[in-house]
Amino acid sequence: MDLEDPEYAYMFGFLQADGHLSKGTGQKGRLTVEISARDVGILREFQRLTPYNSSITGRTRTTNFAASHKSASWNLCALEARTRLNELGLPYGRKSTSIAPPQVPFSPRDYLRGVIDADGSVGFTAQGFPSAH
């Protein structure tokens, strides 16, 4: 995953903002991204960019905002892929206070576009640090 490539930089920013990397027992685990079903094309592009088996599933559920919300989830279980994403800066578990731009060369414009597309806005913390929310 070369983050100087605009497609991968975008994907990594999106994953940092909207993805969830979880560990299971042993070497088990999963990367999951769940977004509105109308944006499933984004997940298909991530699947195309990723040279590992993965799946996209859909579901309908009730949320605080809608009685019937349709979403799509991309799931990737490959240990090699999860390890690489973690090395680049996608932490396991809760991440809202621990994500930061990659420490390797990357395409800043595309990375930030991915963060904003996933989370919707960028602001500043009380301490003056950039924050996606």
Side-chain angles (χ1 to χ4, degrees):
M1 180 179 246
D2 177 5
L3 298 185
E4 290 182 287
D5 179 314
E7 290 181 311
Y8 284 116
Y10 174 87
M11 182 169 103
F12 187 71
F14 198 101
L15 294 178
Q16 275 194 319
D18 246 6
H20 180 74
L21 196 53
S22 61
K23 274 188 180 178
T25 56
Q27 295 186 348
K28 293 181 180 179
R30 161 185 316 197
L31 167 69
T32 303
V33 182
E34 184 174 13
I35 60 176
S36 174
R38 72 175 177 265
D39 296 322
V40 70
I42 293 170
L43 301 181
R44 288 190 184 117
E45 277 300 302
F46 293 170
Q47 194 174 39
R48 181 189 64 79
L49 286 169
T50 307
Y52 302 95
N53 288 332
S54 63
S55 63
I56 296 174
T57 58
R59 72 175 174 156
T60 302
R61 62 188 172 103
T62 300
T63 68
N64 294 339
F65 307 104
S68 179
H69 173 72
K70 293 182 180 183
S71 64
S73 294
W74 178 51
N75 296 289
L76 173 66
C77 296
L79 175 62
E80 185 178 2
R82 290 183 288 115
T83 300
R84 180 65 179 142
L85 289 167
N86 183 248
E87 290 169 350
L88 289 170
L90 181 60
Y92 281 95
R94 293 181 166 256
K95 64 185 182 325
S96 61
T97 60
S98 61
I99 64 166
Q103 297 300 303
V104 298
F106 68 101
S107 173
R109 173 180 295 185
D110 299 293
Y111 166 78
L112 189 57
R113 192 168 52 87
V115 170
I116 293 170
D117 278 358
D119 268 357
S121 64
V122 173
F124 292 93
T125 65
Q127 296 79 27
F129 296 109
S131 170
H133 48 286

